[in-house]
Amino acid sequence: MASTVDVKLDFPRYTERLGAASIHAVQRIYELDSGKSKGFLSSHQTIKKFDYDEISNILHEMAIVVPVKEEKLKLLEGVLSGIPNECLVIIVSNSPRGPVDRFAMEAETVRQLDRFMDKRIAIIHQRDPALGELFKKIGYTSILDSSGSVRNGKAEGMVIGLLLAKMYDKDYVGFIDSDNYVPGAVNEYVKIFAAGFGMASTPYTNVRVSWVFKPKVRNNSLQFSKWGRVSEITNRNLNALLAGITGFETEVIKTGNSGEHALSMPLAECLHFSSGYSVEPYEIVDIFEKFGGLIPTNFTRMGEKGVEIFQIETRNPHFHEDKGKSHLNHMLEASLGIIAASKICPDDLRESIQAQMAQISDSAGSGKNTDWRKRYPLIEPVCSVPMAEFAKGVREKAETFFRHGGLK
Ligand code: GDD
């Protein structure tokens, strides 16, 4: 009988372990779509094949959260077109409401696309006053600013998306930035998430995308660089954190800043999220803190099952909006600051980070006594949010919460 194979990728070649946390080395996709064949020429022991139904079944349980802040509408539209229809799409916007109401433009774009697309899409504005009031009422204040609104920041948007995914009973939540120029790459990220979850042997799983190339324009030609400066430095320091603890040098971590990543709901709901752009590297630090066996935690039950981090390399290059040097410095500072602030960071690494910070222009971190935790506050795990009350409040009070495709 003919069989259809969707994604084919290799098994992890090696794994670093820290307590109950396993960090798998980068895995490669060999075939994005192996098509329909009457059988396979060889059965490689090193390759995992997923058929369409396996991937599709996982996608049915997955929400894709798309954070957006003032992106080109054409890019948002392209991103939406790349997300398979099994997934619930959740757009969380922090775009300005005035003088031009960019959020209204996004909502209108989605409403119009809904006529042509067969997707279930929810969209909400992060600073909807009803959200702030609701979080205050239920005591989930770590996401609020001093005025009682949800704080600005990508992590804050992601957490709202996570809560909505939980509200719709999703088992997995993936995050995909809205400034991606290549819809085909978006489609690949979603399949990568599903393949990672399909390979996991624990309910507590993090799947992180490693971009094969992040091309840049230099001297009027495309350069297929592998790493951005921020990723390179963040990864080096996360690996130094791991090596400082285990005593063995390693280069296993390649996805410290990966905006495109996914979490199984049981893991997502017990993680703290670090504000703004520190969110991605902090997920790794938080997993080490909670499951690394280094400091006492309340997560022993999960520790028994183990936590897995998969890193899977794309075939598509990652083309996204270039937001300039100062933006990158800000991201780098956030990434390094939260590593230095961790209780499990060895003193010599903390000192080295301090020295690296001094090299970043316009960084607040050159002062030795910067309180990184204050600068990048932690958002409490969403397991503390009473879901029935949250769902009722959002549905009844949030005026920016629009749903399409028959979503209730
Ligand atoms: N909801 C919401 N709220 N979305 C936001 C906010 C916010 O306050 N700030 C930014 N976004 C959205 C952007 O519109 C974009 O879709 C996505 O979050 C990423 O933000 P960018 O500002 O475009 O970041 P970047 O592209 O430079 O960096 C991305 O890649 C890095 C790795 O290279 C981000 O995902 C980083 O977090 C990541 O480390």
Side-chain angles (χ1 to χ4, degrees), residues 240-251:
L241 175 68
L242 192 52
I245 296 164
T246 62
F248 289 88
E249 274 194 4
T250 179
E251 294 188 340

Side-chain angles (χ1 to χ4, degrees), residues 213-381:
F213 294 113
K214 243 182 149 180
K216 308 214 167 28
V217 177
R218 263 188 224 116
N219 304 327
N220 285 333
S221 77
L222 262 188
Q223 304 286 317
F224 283 79
S225 18
K226 189 121 185 100
W227 308 109
R229 185 177 128 257
V230 176
S231 302
E232 197 173 335
I233 302 177
T234 304
N235 291 338
R236 197 191 313 133
N237 284 279
L238 283 170
N239 282 315
L241 175 68
L242 192 52
I245 296 164
T246 62
F248 289 88
E249 274 194 4
T250 179
E251 294 188 340
V252 72
I253 300 174
K254 305 276 191 198
T255 57
N257 288 106
S258 180
E260 276 67 28
H261 67 278
L263 293 159
S264 63
M265 190 55 80
L267 177 61
E269 61 187 1
C270 72
L271 289 183
H272 283 81
F273 290 90
S274 185
S275 187
Y277 293 111
S278 59
V279 60
E280 284 93 7
Y282 189 73
E283 282 171 11
I284 294 182
V285 173
D286 198 31
I287 289 172
F288 289 173
E289 285 185 5
K290 288 194 168 100
F291 311 105
L294 301 158
I295 46 179
T297 69
N298 300 326
F299 299 94
T300 39
R301 191 174 51 85
M302 292 170 58
E304 283 161 20
K305 301 233 179 209
V307 174
E308 279 185 282
I309 301 177
F310 288 89
Q311 308 182 96
I312 301 176
E313 188 178 81
T314 60
R315 283 285 159 182
N316 283 282
H318 187 75
F319 283 95
H320 72 146
E321 278 285 82
D322 188 347
K323 297 192 173 131
K325 196 163 175 214
S326 150
H327 173 76
L328 292 181
N329 282 345
H330 180 56
M331 203 174 280
L332 181 56
E333 181 193 272
S335 303
L336 297 188
I338 56 88
I339 300 173
S342 171
K343 292 187 214 81
I344 59 169
C345 181
D347 288 341
D348 56 346
L349 177 58
R350 192 170 290 121
E351 276 164 30
S352 152
I353 288 178
Q354 205 66 58
Q356 295 174 63
M357 289 278 199
Q359 307 297 314
I360 308 173
S361 58
D362 64 36
S363 163
S366 20
K368 259 202 151 173
N369 299 321
T370 310
D371 183 346
W372 295 109
R373 266 289 63 101
K374 210 163 177 185
R375 214 168 151 74
Y376 302 105
L378 286 183
I379 305 168
E380 287 296 311

Side-chain angles (χ1 to χ4, degrees), residues 67-69 71 92-94 126 152-154 157 177-179 211 214 257 259 277 280 320 323 327 331:
V68 54
K69 187 175 175 194
E71 302 295 353
V92 185
S93 173
N94 193 18
Q126 173 169 342
N152 292 313
K154 186 188 172 208
D177 290 349
S178 54
D179 61 343
W211 302 292
K214 243 182 149 180
N257 288 106
Y277 293 111
E280 284 93 7
H320 72 146
K323 297 192 173 131
H327 173 76
M331 203 174 280

